[in-house]
Amino acid sequence: MGLISGLLLLPLAPARGVVWVAEKLQETAERELYDPGVLRAQLAGLNRELDEGLIDLETFEAEEERLLDRLHAAQMHCDVDHRR
């Protein structure tokens, strides 16, 4: 980048920084969303809450289904990444 173009684009630097931070946050969120280890830990915690009587069976089943759907999506997401 030349001196003149650098000076002309300088006012956009904060916006580029915000975009970069937003992209990094999105990457981190997706990594956690699709991390099978995190999902399995959440399932274990859910089972523990049911065993301890902290949640009822209906709540357990709804949350379990949601987590299993995410785990399935994570496996599909991982399969797509490995094919690239």
Side-chain angles (χ1 to χ4, degrees):
M1 184 180 304
L3 178 61
I4 294 190
S5 61
L7 289 173
L8 291 174
L9 296 175
L10 189 60
L12 298 177
R16 285 195 308 257
V18 169
V19 169
W20 180 84
V21 169
E23 288 172 349
K24 294 302 173 189
L25 287 172
Q26 180 181 1
E27 289 172 13
T28 301
E30 285 180 357
R31 200 169 31 253
E32 288 183 16
L33 179 68
Y34 292 118
D35 185 350
V38 170
L39 294 170
R40 287 188 189 100
Q42 289 175 344
L43 281 167
L46 189 63
N47 277 306
R48 206 170 24 258
E49 289 177 1
L50 179 65
D51 291 343
E52 294 172 1
L54 299 174
I55 59 173
D56 61 14
L57 185 59
E58 185 178 329
T59 302
F60 170 81
E61 288 174 345
E63 284 298 304
E64 180 186 44
E65 183 175 348
R66 185 183 64 81
L67 288 170
L68 289 174
D69 287 345
R70 281 181 49 202
L71 187 58
H72 184 279
Q75 290 169 341
M76 299 300 285
H77 185 263
C78 189
D79 288 344
V80 168
D81 283 348
H82 287 295
R83 290 184 194 147
R84 292 181 191 180

